Amino acid sequence: MAPEPGTSWPVEVLHLLVSSAHAYAGRPADGPGEVVTDDRDEVEVVEGRGIVGDRYFGRRAHAAAAVTLFAVESLEHVSGVVGVPDLDPLLARRNLVLRGADVAALRGVEFELRTAAGSVRFAGRRPANPCAWMDVVYAPGAFRAMRGRGGLRCTPLTSGRLSRGPAVLDVGAPVSPAPR
């Protein structure tokens, strides 16, 4: 169920991941390539294009899903299911890792993330479904445990800077379908 427009949640931005290359390509049995991650204190988001420096930045095929959100609470659930403590949230390869946000509830709504460095408005689009690589990079069973908890793909509706630390998530109105 989508939150009411005008709802605000205090959240914490734990990680701002910029990844210039894919790491999980091919067959999981072959193992990942070099996992290139840049966990930044601050990122620049460009309207309709994504996060500057990220592998999906400005790619037309990914315009409606240029930025991914992930709730660390989802990974804590996975950790409990697979029996492995302290799973690294960066291995899920989501751009914005938040604590305190009901990420799934943001699907189909417009929302703004306000941080000390600035704010960006997003349209919550489709789920960021996990893949079989989760069983390789985390533990057997992680892929299944992460189903329905893999995060959300979003379109940036405004440009701005975001920073790690305390933030506020403001929920707006429902969004129209993504352009094709």
Side-chain angles (χ1 to χ4, degrees):
M1 184 163 101
E4 290 293 319
T7 303
S8 290
W9 296 326
V11 297
E12 183 178 3
V13 178
L14 300 175
H15 299 282
L16 297 165
L17 175 68
V18 177
S19 183
S20 61
H22 293 278
Y24 305 151
R27 297 178 312 187
D30 295 336
E34 181 183 357
V35 179
V36 180
T37 58
D38 185 3
D39 189 14
R40 298 184 181 177
D41 291 327
E42 201 171 285
V43 295
E44 180 181 354
V45 180
V46 177
E47 175 185 349
R49 300 195 70 195
I51 296 175
V52 173
D54 191 67
R55 66 197 179 281
Y56 294 125
F57 180 78
R59 294 201 173 224
R60 190 166 178 244
H62 295 280
V67 176
T68 52
L69 266 67
F70 188 56
V72 74
E73 292 87 352
S74 292
L75 194 58
E76 291 166 349
H77 165 81
V78 172
S79 180
V81 169
V82 299
V84 177
D86 303 322
L87 298 176
D88 182 353
L90 298 180
L91 293 177
R93 312 281 287 160
R94 304 300 188 241
N95 300 118
L96 308 177
V97 180
L98 307 177
R99 177 173 296 286
D102 183 355
V103 171
L106 299 173
R107 183 178 183 191
V109 298
E110 190 175 303
F111 61 92
E112 182 174 22
L113 183 60
R114 293 186 287 128
T115 70
S119 65
V120 175
R121 221 176 58 227
F122 294 95
R125 298 292 183 192
R126 60 185 168 87
N129 295 318
C131 64
W133 280 99
M134 298 301 100
D135 282 352
V136 174
V137 299
Y138 286 131
F143 169 57
R144 181 179 293 273
M146 198 179 274
R147 286 185 185 160
R149 301 172 191 276
L152 183 68
R153 297 186 183 282
C154 304
T155 305
L157 300 175
T158 60
S159 298
R161 296 193 72 77
L162 297 174
S163 59
R164 186 188 315 241
V168 174
L169 203 151
D170 293 319
V171 178
V175 294
S176 59
R180 299 234 175 219

